[in-house]
Amino acid sequence: MKTKLTWKQMVFRGVRPLGESSVPAILGGHILQNTLEFDLDEYEEIFEGYGTLKGSYPYRQQDDYDRELIDVEYSVAILENDYLCATFIIDLGGRLWSLIDKISGKNLLYTNDVIRFSNLSSRNSWFSGGVEWNVGIVGHTPFTCERIFASRATLDDGTTVLRLYEHERIRAIEYQMDFILREDDRALTCRMKMVNSSSQVIPGYWWSNIAVPEYAKGRLVVPATSAYFCDMIHVQKVPCPRVSRDCDVSHYKQIVHQSDFFFTLEKKKPRYIVHLDENGKGLLHLSSDRLQARKLFTWGDNPGADSWQTFLTESAGRYIEIQAGIAKTQYGCLPMPPNTSWDWIEQYGPITVPKELMGCRYEELELYTCKVAEKQLQENDLEEMHIQTRLFSKMQSTLMVEGSCYGALNRYIKEKSGEKDLSSHLDFGKITGPAIQWKHLIDHGVFDIPDPSIKPEDYLCSKTLYEHLVRSIEDKNKGNWYAYYQIGLYDFWKCDYQSAKSMFQHSNVLSSNAWNLHGLAVVSLVDSAVKDSAVYIKKGLALASSDISYTKETFRILQICEHYEDIIEAYEALDLEARSNKRLTYGYCLALYKTGMNQKAWDLITSDGGLVLEDTREGQNIVADLYRLVSKALFGRDREVPANIDFNALGVKLISNP
């Protein structure tokens, strides 16, 4: 059959559509990459910490979800020929959800049986399964749970191509993904591109995160003799595949604790990674040279890992991730020059290894898979394809699904200022939604004054818009509380805390409301003025008492301030529906423990099978830690933590600061 591209609505088993936080993510979050310790040689040239961020600002936290499963409809695109069928969820970052080898009937990826959000990304919400395209910021893309642009393009030979793209606001870049499956192709070709049209060097970041099933006798093959190993606390270089006497990472089930392994690919061999089941069948990921690294992520084989693997799915079983990226590790970005595009080719296809090789020495298995990769490159030179498709990557396409409004706004800003636009071929639609107010500011110098009882629209993340706004408060926006508030947020984001404080104070004089009071509470924490912070956020909560996300933020700030009596008072004033929120219940239990009401805390922690947070955070184990503390206070000893609330998959004791 000729290549077929189908657009449809598909029903998935999942949770209700996400709600976003009403407050900006300026307080920062628990991001593992920000606290790592590096023990590396001076010649490794790892960009440690370059481009890392404290939080997801200007993107809102997507922290309003539960675990109740319902039928949910998402927009999908299906690209197929006689050999492969690839399904992409456009509404969820364009994730490649499944890749079916039609000849064997095997899904080459791990496809979850549910879409269940959990707190594992910079914006909180994340879900396991498929291939996630991570761009812009360290960790998971801001678009993990967002609709992106989708269009139809055509190659010179008439082959239909699926094009996905977006504008990422923090780095102010565009990224584009062209998925090619010609009539006779046995592998899905992905032509990837990220563009920096600015005149500044920016942190560049890309990792393709590929979920594959975890097999009891599965093997991982990658042409590398060393790797950067991270236990989520330390980073060090280790030999591979045998990293210790008891652990051969090619037999990944031997890895006990949650781990990252970033493999250093041998220069004279193809850039590939292979995942195989016990029968020697699996996925071959192959790329051009731009993707210089490969990675293995595993939850490990321990009780905490079991909790995570159970928590993230319903009955689809366990998974690991194999990944490919532009840098040696994920713990920093690469400097991306001005007016530059980076592009590369990835291929995803089936591979079969003789079953008798599955029990052989790693060197024999690697020799065989390397020959397969070399043969595939001889038949289809990815570097040559990368060059030949450059003109195609700049051709226009037919828009099918619209994404965010900020690509159109960014283009308008460039047009007004005369800046280059290296992504002019991409159709970002019209300026709509929250972007309209920013266009109005550019055109007329006037900024909207919203109702302060309603949560603000999206936040500022553009130097040009910031400069327009600063100029406007000298004239047309002198009395606009919202203009000062937005300036304060941007000042805070660029760490000009004194200016941020001044802007929030001025905004509060013009209109004292929950939003500028939250800003004052957070900036007071920077000044270590915890009493002031607690006063501001309590005043804010009084104005937004029905807002669950504001209440969660209030509890978080009061915990930092150690104002536990205020948490108790606030929780006990909530209605029954709000009290059912597990994150708020945890805050209340912590406050009860801190004020000596241990029995009451114990009853809540252990009721209904145990306090399991909807948004349990990777790298934290706060409920289990509180369980131990309360049990010791009540009974004089630690009690064994129930498995369903123990999420420590690491080989070290977590510091959760309960």
Side-chain angles (χ1 to χ4, degrees):
M1 65 180 282
K2 290 186 176 181
T3 302
K4 183 179 179 182
L5 176 59
T6 306
W7 309 85
K8 62 187 292 187
Q9 295 296 113
M10 185 177 289
V11 176
F12 296 82
R13 197 67 178 157
V15 298
R16 61 180 172 80
L18 282 166
E20 292 188 329
S21 176
S22 62
V23 293
I26 57 173
L27 184 55
H30 182 83
I31 300 175
L32 286 173
Q33 291 90 341
N34 289 359
T35 58
L36 294 175
E37 298 175 5
F38 293 85
D39 183 17
L40 299 175
D41 189 273
E42 61 186 292
Y43 301 109
E44 299 301 337
E45 296 185 6
I46 301 294
F47 287 81
E48 302 170 11
Y50 173 62
T52 56
L53 301 166
K54 294 179 180 178
S56 63
Y57 182 89
Y59 299 100
R60 296 178 187 272
Q61 289 289 288
Q62 296 174 316
D63 61 355
D64 181 14
Y65 51 86
D66 55 35
R67 293 181 58 77
E68 182 180 350
L69 294 173
I70 59 173
D71 287 340
V72 185
E73 200 172 76
Y74 290 116
S75 299
V76 303
I78 301 172
L79 187 66
E80 60 182 317
N81 63 8
D82 282 334
Y83 304 99
L84 290 171
C85 180
T87 299
F88 301 81
I89 308 180
I90 309 302
D91 290 341
L92 296 174
R95 189 172 299 202
L96 174 55
W97 191 233
S98 64
L99 183 61
I100 306 299
D101 175 9
K102 289 185 174 182
I103 304 304
S104 66
K106 184 181 182 67
N107 184 1
L108 304 180
L109 307 175
Y110 171 83
T111 299
N112 207 331
D113 58 346
V114 295
I115 295 175
R116 174 171 269 158
F117 302 124
S118 298
N119 186 359
L120 283 90
S121 80
S122 63
R123 294 185 70 184
N124 187 311
S125 62
W126 182 86
F127 61 102
S128 62
V131 184
E132 180 184 22
W133 319 107
N134 292 309
V135 65
I137 64 174
V138 172
H140 299 280
T141 172
F143 298 101
T144 289
C145 299
E146 292 275 355
R147 173 182 292 182
I148 64 173
F149 286 89
S151 64
R152 181 196 299 267
T154 307
L155 293 173
D156 289 341
D157 63 6
T159 298
T160 299
V161 174
L162 171 65
R163 174 170 291 172
L164 304 178
Y165 57 96
E166 249 303 351
H167 171 77
E168 197 288 296
R169 299 172 63 199
I170 295 175
R171 308 303 186 197
I173 62 170
E174 287 79 45
Y175 67 100
Q176 172 184 330
M177 304 179 287
D178 291 335
F179 297 98
I180 302 168
L181 191 62
R182 293 183 176 88
E183 186 173 351
D184 296 325
D185 284 351
R186 265 63 167 189
L188 174 68
T189 297
C190 315
R191 193 191 195 286
M192 308 307 209
K193 184 177 185 179
M194 52 190 294
V195 175
N196 174 19
S197 294
S198 77
S199 59
Q200 304 297 317
V201 175
I202 65 165
Y205 182 89
W206 181 281
W207 282 82
S208 300
N209 286 19
I210 310 158
V212 290
E214 180 185 281
Y215 298 118
K217 296 181 180 180
R219 295 291 299 270
L220 180 80
V221 191
V222 60
T225 58
S226 65
Y228 300 102
F229 162 66
C230 178
D231 59 4
M232 308 302 154
I233 304 294
H234 306 92
V235 180
Q236 58 185 305
K237 200 166 188 180
V238 297
C240 70
R242 184 162 292 282
V243 299
S244 69
R245 185 177 63 181
D246 302 319
C247 182
D248 176 345
V249 295
S250 75
H251 294 277
Y252 50 78
K253 284 292 286 182
Q254 294 180 7
I255 303 170
V256 177
H257 300 293
Q258 179 182 345
S259 304
D260 285 345
F261 290 91
F262 295 93
F263 301 103
T264 303
L265 301 185
E266 295 184 57
K267 292 183 179 180
K268 295 183 179 180
K269 293 184 178 180
R271 297 192 180 279
Y272 77 92
I273 190 167
V274 167
H275 175 254
L276 300 166
D277 66 15
E278 60 184 12
N279 297 312
K281 297 183 181 298
L283 172 71
L284 166 63
H285 177 276
L286 188 63
S287 80
S288 56
D289 288 345
R290 174 71 69 178
L291 290 191
Q292 65 170 309
R294 296 296 184 272
K295 174 190 171 185
L296 164 67
F297 166 80
T298 173
W299 287 109
D301 191 6
N302 61 73
D306 295 343
S307 295
W308 273 114
Q309 294 275 21
T310 302
F311 192 71
L312 295 172
T313 185
E314 192 71 5
S315 55
R318 302 167 70 96
Y319 77 99
I320 61 171
E321 287 181 7
I322 56 175
Q323 304 180 16
I326 61 174
K328 292 181 180 180
T329 76
Q330 288 174 337
Y331 307 135
C333 302
L334 294 181
M336 187 175 188
N339 299 307
T340 296
S341 70
W342 286 346
D343 47 8
W344 63 91
I345 300 286
E346 300 181 44
Q347 282 192 336
Y348 296 75
I351 184 172
T352 299
V353 170
K355 189 174 180 180
E356 57 269 22
L357 283 180
M358 290 301 293
C360 288
R361 293 170 57 247
Y362 179 80
E363 289 74 16
E364 295 180 56
L365 192 57
E366 194 268 326
L367 179 64
Y368 185 92
T369 56
C370 190
K371 287 181 179 179
V372 173
E374 287 172 342
K375 183 175 184 295
Q376 188 162 317
L377 286 175
Q378 288 171 1
E379 296 172 352
N380 201 344
D381 188 328
L382 299 191
E383 295 296 342
E384 182 65 23
M385 182 189 299
H386 164 236
I387 295 170
Q388 289 178 350
T389 53
R390 274 185 171 165
L391 181 60
F392 165 74
S393 74
K394 298 178 183 179
M395 294 177 63
Q396 294 184 342
S397 55
T398 302
L399 181 62
M400 304 298 290
V401 178
E402 287 202 26
S404 76
C405 60
Y406 290 101
L409 178 63
N410 185 65
R411 175 161 295 160
Y412 187 73
I413 292 171
K414 288 182 178 297
E415 290 172 355
K416 297 289 283 188
S417 62
E419 295 178 6
K420 286 185 179 180
D421 183 359
L422 300 181
S423 300
S424 58
H425 60 288
L426 298 178
D427 184 354
F428 283 109
K430 297 179 180 180
I431 296 175
T432 58
I436 292 175
Q437 66 178 340
W438 299 106
K439 180 179 183 298
H440 192 65
L441 172 69
I442 294 171
D443 292 342
H444 306 290
V446 177
F447 200 53
D448 293 349
I449 306 178
D451 180 347
S453 68
I454 300 172
K455 81 174 183 179
E457 292 192 318
D458 288 350
Y459 306 113
L460 170 65
C461 191
S462 161
K463 184 180 179 182
T464 300
L465 294 177
Y466 173 77
E467 290 170 348
H468 274 282
L469 206 50
V470 169
R471 286 194 297 269
S472 78
I473 61 172
E474 298 173 358
D475 183 18
K476 296 180 180 179
N477 288 307
K478 276 185 178 179
N480 186 339
W481 73 267
Y482 192 55
Y484 286 93
Y485 172 67
Q486 288 280 3
I487 293 171
L489 292 178
Y490 191 85
D491 283 336
F492 190 98
W493 181 63
K494 61 189 180 74
C495 301
D496 188 349
Y497 300 120
Q498 286 306 115
S499 180
K501 183 177 181 179
S502 175
M503 291 296 131
F504 292 144
Q505 286 174 333
H506 201 107
S507 174
N508 198 49
V509 168
L510 294 170
S511 170
S512 185
N513 56 62
W515 322 116
N516 47 44
L517 287 166
H518 168 259
L520 286 167
V522 176
V523 81
S524 295
L525 286 178
V526 174
D527 288 340
S528 299
V530 294
K531 289 184 179 179
D532 291 344
S533 179
V535 169
Y536 284 130
I537 200 63
K538 285 191 294 180
K539 287 182 178 178
L541 181 61
L543 298 172
S545 58
S546 61
D547 185 330
I548 289 292
S549 63
Y550 199 100
T551 306
K552 287 196 284 188
E553 182 82 346
T554 298
F555 278 33
R556 187 179 174 201
I557 291 173
L558 291 175
Q559 285 173 29
I560 296 171
C561 296
E562 298 184 351
H563 277 230
Y564 300 112
E565 293 84 357
D566 290 330
I567 294 175
I568 293 171
E569 181 182 349
Y571 183 85
E572 292 179 350
L574 297 173
D575 59 31
L576 289 176
E577 182 179 355
R579 289 193 195 189
S580 67
N581 183 280
K582 299 296 195 303
R583 176 61 63 170
L584 295 179
T585 303
Y586 165 77
Y588 180 57
C589 290
L590 174 62
L592 291 172
Y593 164 72
K594 291 290 188 178
T595 54
M597 291 184 273
N598 294 304
Q599 187 61 56
K600 197 170 184 179
W602 181 257
D603 292 343
L604 281 171
I605 294 170
T606 58
S607 65
D608 298 325
L611 180 61
V612 179
L613 303 184
E614 302 98 334
D615 59 346
T616 291
R617 178 70 182 174
E618 180 191 11
Q620 290 184 329
N621 206 26
I622 54 178
V623 175
D625 289 345
L626 185 57
Y627 181 98
R628 293 186 182 96
L629 291 170
V630 176
S631 66
K632 190 169 185 178
L634 281 176
F635 312 114
R637 59 182 176 83
D638 289 348
R639 287 193 173 185
E640 183 177 351
V641 178
N644 67 322
I645 64 170
D646 187 359
F647 288 87
N648 183 11
L650 304 179
V652 294
K653 184 176 181 353
L654 294 178
I655 302 173
S656 300
N657 191 29

